[in-house]
Every structure is written in structure tokens, then in C-alpha cells.
Amino acid sequence: MRLNKKEKEIFLCFVFDFHYLIIFDRSKTKTWEEKIWRSVRDYNGHPITVWGM
């Protein structure tokens, strides 16, 4: 698939508007219900989705 310059700019803006952080909890004492969670935090005006696993 070939994108023209404008399509590439739109695509890059779309891709970089999403920020994720995944935290792996390897604790053996917690249940899966305690380990798996999701929250949205703000960093300098940018939303970051944080996943705990």
C-alpha cells in the first residue's frame, strides 16, 4: 500500500496520539484479578493508557 505525503502525516498523527505503558507483575502471591488492571493517566496533557498484567 502506498500513501501520499498527506496520508502519511495523518497516519503518523493517528499512531503517535496513543501512548501505552504495560507493567508486568510477576508476583507469585497475587491473584490474576489483582494483577490485571487498566487506567488512563495524564502526562503533560497527553493521555497514557496504563495496563497492569
Side-chain angles (χ1 to χ4, degrees), residues 13-28:
C13 287
F14 177 75
V15 169
F16 291 113
D17 276 346
F18 296 98
H19 306 280
Y20 299 98
L21 173 63
I22 301 173
I23 300 171
F24 293 94
D25 185 346
R26 298 180 64 188
S27 170
K28 303 223 187 264

Side-chain angles (χ1 to χ4, degrees), residues 6-52:
K6 185 65 175 173
E7 290 171 329
K8 286 178 187 175
E9 289 173 3
I10 292 169
F11 177 75
L12 290 174
C13 287
F14 177 75
V15 169
F16 291 113
D17 276 346
F18 296 98
H19 306 280
Y20 299 98
L21 173 63
I22 301 173
I23 300 171
F24 293 94
D25 185 346
R26 298 180 64 188
S27 170
K28 303 223 187 264
T29 59
K30 292 184 182 177
T31 65
W32 276 105
E33 290 78 18
E34 293 173 305
K35 290 182 185 182
I36 298 176
W37 53 271
R38 176 187 172 269
S39 70
V40 178
R41 310 278 174 102
D42 182 77
Y43 180 75
N44 291 337
H46 300 280
I48 299 174
T49 303
V50 183
W51 296 84

